């Protein structure tokens, strides 16, 4: 038997309506003993969590991305044809989910590339430290401490004078 979890959802229509969650489906709004219009939009797809995506493989993420894009296309068609308000509200959730999948996918790709280039002398420009243009062009500490042959000769020939100071 599935265990049910009760959670509070603050919405405009029902400030403190209690919703029963079994799995990922909202079953019914307990205030009205039926599925109210506000909670109906959560039926089809729950919000994707980034931490769940991080554990999934590349193929699974790309498949999920394709599904979300297809769903977004269907929702946009429903918007044009005058679909239900619940579908219109779901467009934002799907767009954010697509962004989440792409973000996690790009982060994992970049971290894998960093592992590949970790022991190499030169990094690709997108893997290098960004900082600012001025800081990137700044002399390193080693370069700052080096002296030219002429300055070394001047230091050797004209050392700092030492004066006896009367206290």
């Amino acid at each position: 038997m599935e265990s049910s979890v009760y959670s509070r959802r603050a919405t405009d229509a029902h400030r403190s309506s209690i919703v029963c969650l079994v799995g990922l489906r909202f079953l019914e709004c307990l205030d009205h003993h039926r599925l109210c219009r506000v909670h109906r939009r959560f039926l089809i797809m729950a919000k994707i969590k980034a931490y769940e995506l991080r554990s999934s493989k590349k193929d699974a993420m790309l498949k999920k991305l394709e599904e979300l894009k297809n769903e977004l296309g269907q929702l946009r068609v429903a918007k044009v044809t005058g679909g239900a308000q619940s579908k219109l509200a779901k467009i934002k959730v799907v767009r954010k989910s697509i962004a989440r999948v792409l973000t996690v996918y790009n982060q994992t790709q970049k971290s894998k590339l960093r592992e590949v280039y970790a022991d190499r002398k030169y990094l690709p420009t997108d893997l290098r430290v960004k900082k600012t243009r001025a800081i990137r062009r700044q002399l390193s500490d080693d370069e700052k401490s080096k002296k030219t042959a002429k300055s070394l000769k001047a230091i050797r020939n004209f050392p700092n004078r030492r004066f006896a100071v009367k206290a």
Side-chain angles (χ1 to χ4, degrees):
M1 183 174 168
E2 292 179 325
S3 63
S4 60
V5 179
Y6 291 96
S7 64
R8 287 203 177 271
R9 291 256 176 213
T11 60
D12 294 337
H14 314 95
R15 277 285 162 211
S16 63
S17 61
I18 300 173
V19 180
C20 178
L21 254 172
V22 177
L24 291 175
R25 296 183 312 136
F26 287 85
L27 289 182
E28 63 182 292
C29 180
L30 296 178
D31 290 349
H32 306 294
H33 302 292
R34 63 181 174 78
L35 189 65
C36 67
R37 197 178 312 141
V38 176
H39 297 125
R40 203 173 285 147
R41 69 179 173 181
F42 296 109
L43 263 175
I44 300 166
M45 183 172 288
K47 194 166 82 169
I48 297 171
K49 306 285 186 207
Y51 70 89
E52 293 169 355
L53 286 171
R54 288 186 203 288
S55 61
S56 62
K57 300 263 189 258
K58 176 183 172 182
D59 301 334
M61 271 196 272
L62 292 175
K63 184 180 175 190
K64 189 73 174 168
L65 182 65
E66 197 62 37
E67 289 172 8
L68 287 167
K69 284 184 176 181
N70 289 337
E71 187 179 355
L72 183 62
Q74 291 169 0
L75 290 171
R76 285 187 173 150
V77 168
K79 180 182 176 183
V80 171
T81 57
Q85 188 65 30
S86 60
K87 286 193 175 185
L88 298 180
K90 196 165 175 264
I91 290 176
K92 181 181 176 183
V93 175
V94 174
R95 282 179 59 238
K96 302 294 180 186
S97 296
I98 289 172
R100 223 172 262 117
V101 171
L102 284 171
T103 301
V104 171
Y105 178 75
N106 289 330
Q107 284 176 345
T108 52
Q109 292 291 95
K110 199 163 241 191
S111 67
K112 287 175 185 172
L113 276 173
R114 284 187 197 281
E115 290 171 12
V116 170
Y117 283 98
D119 55 344
R120 298 194 187 171
K121 185 175 180 182
Y122 297 109
L123 289 173
T125 50
D126 61 332
L127 296 181
R128 292 179 194 165
V129 180
K130 178 82 170 117
K131 296 190 178 178
T132 63
R133 191 170 185 267
I135 291 173
R136 288 196 306 268
R137 280 152 180 74
Q138 207 172 33
L139 292 175
S140 66
D141 291 336
D142 188 43
E143 291 168 336
K144 283 180 193 172
S145 65
K146 288 187 176 179
K147 305 234 183 267
T148 62
K150 187 173 181 178
S151 64
L152 286 172
K153 193 174 178 182
I155 290 168
R156 198 176 330 111
N157 291 334
F158 304 104
N160 287 338
R161 293 184 181 179
R162 294 190 187 102
F163 296 98
V165 179
K166 185 178 177 182

